[in-house]
Amino acid sequence: MIIGVKDGLKLFGVAIVSACAVFVCTFFLNYYLDCMSIQGTVPPESVQLYDAQILSAKLTCAITGGVLALVSCFLIAFYTGILIENRSKTIGALKAMGYSDGRIAFGFWVFGLSAFLGTASGHGLGYAFSPMIYNLMSDGLLEVPLTYHFELTFGLVFAPTLFFGAVAILCAYLKLRVPVMTLLRGKAEKARAGRKDVRDRSFLREVFFRTPAAHKSLTFFVAFAGFCFAAMLQMSWSMKDLSSVTMGVMMLVIGVVLAITAFLLAMTSLMRGNAKTVSLMKAYGYTFLQYGNAVFGGFRPFAYLGFGVGTLYQYGLLRLMVDLVFKNVEAMPSYSFDVGAFFVSLAAYIVFYELSVVFFTYRIGKENIRKFVAE
């Protein structure tokens, strides 16, 4: 009707975030279930390690899975809003013909297909890496046999597909509860009541401050990219002492993938939404640095704020693991904040972020004013 299977499969952000979440949860939860099956056969010298690994699996899945599930819900809501905005006239015509909000919203169930692609991929990769993870977590003291659990497949693949499909339907239903004429007119003008008088603010400063305020969801994704970059890079650096180099590399890859995904989503959306503005600025003689800073510069504080929050998150999580979960495990190395890893990660993030801004500024500057003359 309004959206098809292809639309549902285009939500690459949902698929990637879902894949990362399920990838981590698969081997930790499978390890937990397999450990429970040998609970009565654990030798006395391995009981402390056994209990610590069980608690570690629970905490990791709860924290990682919970955070990424919330991000996936936010992505679903974001994509739903974008699609309704882009096809508002078609949806408005259908409502004028008598289609109910519920009937139109139900078509958004296909958004769950992107979640299915991500969860199925992450689940498969999680099982493929499970033997290696089992060996790392057992540390040669516990022999935990790897077994397949169908209930885990249902809970990590099929249940999230149904859940995110339902979330998309609910989000669409809530966003469709607007007058038909609002949809038929296309993009509705947002109310600006209570807005401060900014007549004394220059045009460039106006664009600089208003762009993040008008794109709050994109501001979140920019901050989330910094959060993932900081948390996973610094945590992966610490893993070489606390766990293994392999675990560190795995966390590094997941962090970089999540950061790039969130950042690409935000920057490409900003490019589409501000192409006309930048073309007009170029026509009036504004330079590359001026329009680039005006459109993208307002997001810089949020990008580095996300990095700071990610740094605190990884430090708090590792302190929790070392001081609480593994406090009774012998030969567990101590952990303290790694200043060197922080500055290396910060330098890498600055290079990544600033070069990306330059690249997207160049891309948005390629738009020609003639493309928008007819509008």
Side-chain angles (χ1 to χ4, degrees), residues 38-325:
I38 64 167
Q39 188 171 16
T41 63
V42 179
E45 65 272 14
S46 300
V47 169
Q48 290 182 342
L49 176 62
Y50 171 85
D51 292 337
Q53 296 291 28
I54 289 293
L55 183 55
S56 174
K58 290 180 179 179
L59 286 175
T60 302
C61 291
I63 296 173
T64 303
V67 169
L68 294 183
L70 289 175
V71 172
S72 296
C73 289
F74 196 85
L75 281 167
I76 289 286
F78 173 77
Y79 281 122
T80 300
I82 291 294
L83 192 143
I84 290 176
E85 183 178 284
N86 291 340
R87 304 185 185 178
S88 59
K89 294 183 180 179
T90 302
I91 294 173
L94 288 174
K95 290 186 68 171
M97 292 168 58
Y99 283 76
S100 66
D101 292 342
R103 183 177 178 183
I104 297 173
F106 185 76
F108 284 78
W109 70 267
V110 297
F111 279 10
L113 295 177
S114 288
F116 176 76
L117 285 180
T119 55
S121 301
H123 194 53
L125 286 173
Y127 265 113
F129 278 86
S130 288
M132 179 179 62
I133 300 300
Y134 273 43
N135 184 56
L136 292 174
M137 294 186 68
S138 299
D139 197 24
L141 298 177
L142 288 172
E143 291 296 333
V144 182
L146 174 62
T147 56
Y148 172 74
H149 301 275
F150 175 76
E151 63 271 24
L152 192 59
T153 300
F154 179 82
L156 292 180
V157 178
F158 297 106
T161 300
L162 298 174
F163 173 74
F164 288 121
V167 168
I169 294 173
L170 177 62
C171 291
Y173 179 78
L174 295 175
K175 292 179 182 293
L176 288 170
R177 298 177 66 183
V178 295
V180 173
M181 291 307 299
T182 300
L183 292 168
L184 291 175
R185 283 196 297 265
K187 298 180 180 180
E189 293 186 5
K190 296 182 180 179
R192 297 178 182 173
R195 181 180 161 218
K196 293 181 179 180
D197 186 3
V198 293
R199 287 175 295 180
D200 58 335
R201 184 182 293 173
S202 70
F203 173 70
L204 288 176
R205 288 177 60 82
E206 176 73 358
V207 176
F208 179 91
F209 286 107
R210 284 188 57 192
T211 303
H215 300 87
K216 294 182 178 62
S217 58
L218 301 184
T219 303
F220 167 80
F221 290 128
V222 170
F224 180 69
F227 173 89
C228 293
F229 197 98
M232 294 302 188
L233 260 70
Q234 294 179 70
M235 198 178 297
S236 67
W237 189 270
S238 300
M239 283 298 105
K240 72 181 188 300
D241 296 323
L242 298 177
S243 179
S244 68
V245 174
T246 303
M247 187 69 77
V249 171
M250 191 180 303
M251 299 181 72
L252 172 65
V253 172
I254 291 175
V256 171
V257 168
L258 286 174
I260 291 176
T261 300
F263 195 73
L264 281 177
L265 176 64
M267 293 297 106
T268 52
S269 297
L270 277 174
M271 283 176 54
R272 289 193 296 267
N274 292 277
K276 182 178 180 180
T277 301
V278 170
S279 296
L280 290 171
M281 292 174 72
K282 286 178 60 182
Y284 281 102
Y286 287 95
T287 66
F288 177 89
L289 291 178
Q290 286 177 319
Y291 64 72
N293 186 63
V295 173
F296 298 110
F299 292 90
R300 188 172 282 108
F302 300 100
Y304 292 108
L305 175 63
F307 185 92
V309 173
T311 298
L312 295 176
Y313 165 82
Q314 66 87 28
Y315 175 71
L317 183 59
L318 290 179
R319 286 243 61 105
L320 175 67
M321 290 294 185
V322 173
D323 297 342
L324 179 63
V325 178

Side-chain angles (χ1 to χ4, degrees), residues 288-368:
F288 177 89
L289 291 178
Q290 286 177 319
Y291 64 72
N293 186 63
V295 173
F296 298 110
F299 292 90
R300 188 172 282 108
F302 300 100
Y304 292 108
L305 175 63
F307 185 92
V309 173
T311 298
L312 295 176
Y313 165 82
Q314 66 87 28
Y315 175 71
L317 183 59
L318 290 179
R319 286 243 61 105
L320 175 67
M321 290 294 185
V322 173
D323 297 342
L324 179 63
V325 178
F326 292 95
K327 65 178 181 179
N328 295 321
V329 177
E330 296 181 3
M332 186 65 188
S334 60
Y335 169 73
S336 59
F337 184 74
D338 194 328
V339 178
F342 168 75
F343 282 108
V344 170
S345 300
L346 178 60
Y349 184 65
I350 291 173
V351 173
F352 164 74
Y353 182 81
E354 299 300 338
L355 287 181
S356 298
V357 168
V358 171
F359 170 76
F360 284 107
T361 301
Y362 171 77
R363 287 285 305 277
I364 199 173
K366 298 288 287 184
E367 296 287 350
N368 197 304

